[in-house]
Amino acid sequence: MKEILSPLSKVFGSLFIALTWTIFIQVLLCLPGHSFPSTESFSIPGLDKIAHIIIFGILVFSWCAYLNKKAVSSRQRATFFFIVFLGACANGIIIEYIQKYYIPNRSFDLGDIIADILSSGVAYGLCNVVFSSAQRN
């Protein structure tokens, strides 16, 4: 796993990538429902959850990869990574309420929140393992 994620951390480990991805997903998640195509390919069961898993996993991984370069100690790195995880989880929850109350043709979905939190947790765990073992080597 380390062999796969270490090169990815070089690609995703810039502030530009982390900020750009964060802005991109905020815009994407706040688009009105009529902005999305209503073709049959988008009615695949669970496709929405897979999208949430991917976007939140990349969100956490990109910020952890960037912050990994800034951490001076393993304790500081762990703190940074946990803050990223909590921020991603809070973002996933808040966005669902924003969609429910403020975005036309969008709705609240507890399944999206669960997908966001699980994906953020997996990315958080992977980053802790990969970047901690890379630091030791």
Side-chain angles (χ1 to χ4, degrees), residues 13 62-72 77 80-81 84:
S62 63
W63 278 106
C64 288
Y66 169 69
L67 292 171
N68 183 57
K69 296 177 180 179
K70 305 295 179 195
V72 292
R77 182 186 325 97
F80 285 165
F81 287 5
V84 167

Side-chain angles (χ1 to χ4, degrees), residues 29 48-53 56 85 88-100 107-121:
L29 293 171
D48 177 47
K49 306 308 172 259
I50 292 169
H52 277 264
I53 288 168
F56 276 82
F85 166 70
C89 291
N91 184 49
I93 294 166
I94 291 167
I95 283 292
E96 285 302 314
Y97 282 99
I98 289 172
Q99 287 177 349
K100 179 179 181 178
S107 60
F108 180 90
D109 188 347
L110 184 60
D112 289 350
I113 292 175
I114 292 168
D116 299 344
I117 292 172
L118 287 175
S119 172
S120 297

